[in-house]
Amino acid sequence: MAEINVTPMVDVMLVLLIIFMVAAPLLTTSIDIDLPVARGGNQIQSNSPPLTLSVKRTGGTCNSQVELYLGDSPIAASELEAKMKAIRETRSETDNVVYLRGDKDVCYTDMMKLLGNIRTAGFKANIVIVPEQGS
């Protein structure tokens, strides 16, 4: 028989495809935040994972119910500034950026208060946006 049997190779490739299809959704962040759509900005080009502060509106109107997450762990608003100052003391001068991810339903005043807290703690703040579809 002078032909090569490719059936085992196709079987292995299909199994690998299924493994990657199952594993890909597990690599996303676990906090469900609906980011606003905007234009501009640059993508993050860093080897170390950045410090991320996520804000999610849970209900009410402005200046009311929001959940804060530092990294992936929830944090109370009263503890935020002290914890960020403690983190700032452990980081180098070049690694002083916090990425602020805000739900599109979070009020402007809540975001500005958090930006003030980030600056008071000694960090620079970058706001994370989702690029507009098609750009």
Side-chain angles (χ1 to χ4, degrees):
M1 186 167 143
E3 296 178 12
I4 297 175
N5 189 3
V6 295
T7 304
M9 183 184 71
V10 171
D11 290 343
V12 169
M13 296 305 288
L14 288 175
V15 168
L16 287 174
L17 178 66
I18 291 171
I19 289 171
F20 284 120
M21 287 173 57
V22 170
L26 300 176
L27 299 175
T28 60
T29 55
S30 60
I31 301 169
D32 185 28
I33 291 183
D34 191 13
L35 293 174
V37 177
R39 294 182 189 203
N42 297 325
Q43 292 183 349
I44 301 169
Q45 302 292 331
S46 176
N47 294 336
S48 63
L51 182 61
T52 305
L53 178 63
S54 302
V55 187
K56 182 177 181 182
R57 182 173 165 207
T58 57
T61 59
C62 285
N63 298 323
S64 60
Q65 303 162 351
V66 293
E67 292 179 357
L68 300 176
Y69 297 90
L70 193 58
D72 287 333
S73 58
I75 185 170
S78 59
E79 301 172 0
L80 178 66
E81 192 171 330
K83 189 167 266 195
M84 289 188 71
K85 284 183 180 179
I87 292 171
R88 178 68 186 112
E89 293 172 2
T90 63
R91 297 220 170 186
S92 67
E93 280 297 318
T94 59
D95 192 22
N96 65 348
V97 176
V98 174
Y99 293 96
L100 182 60
R101 300 173 63 228
D103 193 41
K104 69 179 179 182
D105 295 329
V106 174
C107 292
Y108 179 78
T109 54
D110 295 328
M111 294 295 284
M112 291 301 108
K113 285 179 185 177
L114 290 172
L115 284 172
N117 289 344
I118 290 170
R119 297 292 297 166
T120 303
F123 285 98
K124 294 179 183 174
N126 285 342
I127 298 176
V128 178
I129 59 171
V130 174
E132 200 171 38
Q133 297 296 329
S135 61

